[in-house]
């Protein structure tokens, strides 16, 4: 986990029509934003979690957001976690994922609770602020 200037992040993004394929989103309820930011700074320096597993001292992108956005009383996460799937719509497991997890020496974490950016983008707790590729 590290801090990157927005321009650096956007310049390194995948492109759509020559523009960064990035969307800025925010929580609809920003009451606990200061606490969420403090929580985020506490994760600086943690390694990237290429195994996508919870509670292992590593974080992947949407897991970081999930960990940061917690209710003011610390009782619940504001974004949803759900069973992960690495399968295509027709139920097939792409070779990429089988090979990826085999290289890590572990099984595919199919069904393990987790997060992904697409689910978060549709979470009712967030709203789109800006689509950079529509500039």
């Amino acid at each position: 986990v590290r801090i990157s200037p927005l321009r650096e992040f956007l310049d390194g993004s995948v492109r759509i029509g020559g523009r960064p394929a990035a969307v800025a989103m925010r929580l609809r309820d920003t009451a606990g934003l200061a606490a969420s930011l403090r929580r985020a700074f506490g994760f600086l320096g943690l390694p990237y979690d290429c195994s996508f597993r919870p509670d292992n001292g590593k974080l992947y992108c949407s897991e970081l957001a999930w960990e940061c956005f917690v209710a003011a009383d610390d009782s619940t996460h504001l974004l949803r976690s759900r069973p992960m799937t690495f399968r295509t719509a027709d139920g097939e497991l792409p070779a990429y994922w089988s090979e990826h997890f085999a290289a890590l020496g572990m099984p595919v974490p199919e069904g393990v609770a987790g997060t992904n950016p697409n689910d978060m983008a549709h979470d009712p707790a967030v709203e789109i602020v800006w689509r950079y590729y529509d500039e």
Side-chain angles (χ1 to χ4, degrees), residues 5-15 19-22 132 135:
L6 180 59
R7 179 54 42 207
E8 178 184 316
F9 173 77
L10 293 174
D11 287 348
S13 294
V14 172
R15 315 304 266 185
R19 296 193 167 115
Y132 287 90
E135 287 184 326

Side-chain angles (χ1 to χ4, degrees), residues 72-93:
D73 64 0
D74 286 339
S75 64
T76 185
H77 291 270
L78 299 176
L79 299 168
R80 290 179 286 191
S81 170
R82 11 183 104 110
M84 292 186 288
T85 184
F86 294 82
R87 298 183 179 278
T88 60
D90 63 2
E92 294 295 317
L93 182 65

Side-chain angles (χ1 to χ4, degrees), residues 69 87 118:
F69 297 119
R87 298 183 179 278
N118 283 334

Side-chain angles (χ1 to χ4, degrees), residues 1 27 32-44 46-47 49 52-72 74-81 113-116 120:
V1 176
L27 289 174
L33 188 57
S36 295
L37 287 172
R38 281 192 298 277
R39 206 173 277 108
F41 281 111
F43 294 120
L44 284 173
L46 287 181
D49 185 5
F52 306 107
R53 297 188 186 287
D55 303 322
N56 63 359
K58 302 174 184 179
L59 295 171
Y60 57 96
C61 57
S62 58
E63 184 183 21
L64 174 63
W66 185 79
E67 289 287 359
C68 290
F69 297 119
V70 178
D74 286 339
S75 64
T76 185
H77 291 270
L78 299 176
L79 299 168
R80 290 179 286 191
S81 170
T115 62
N116 74 62
M120 283 188 173

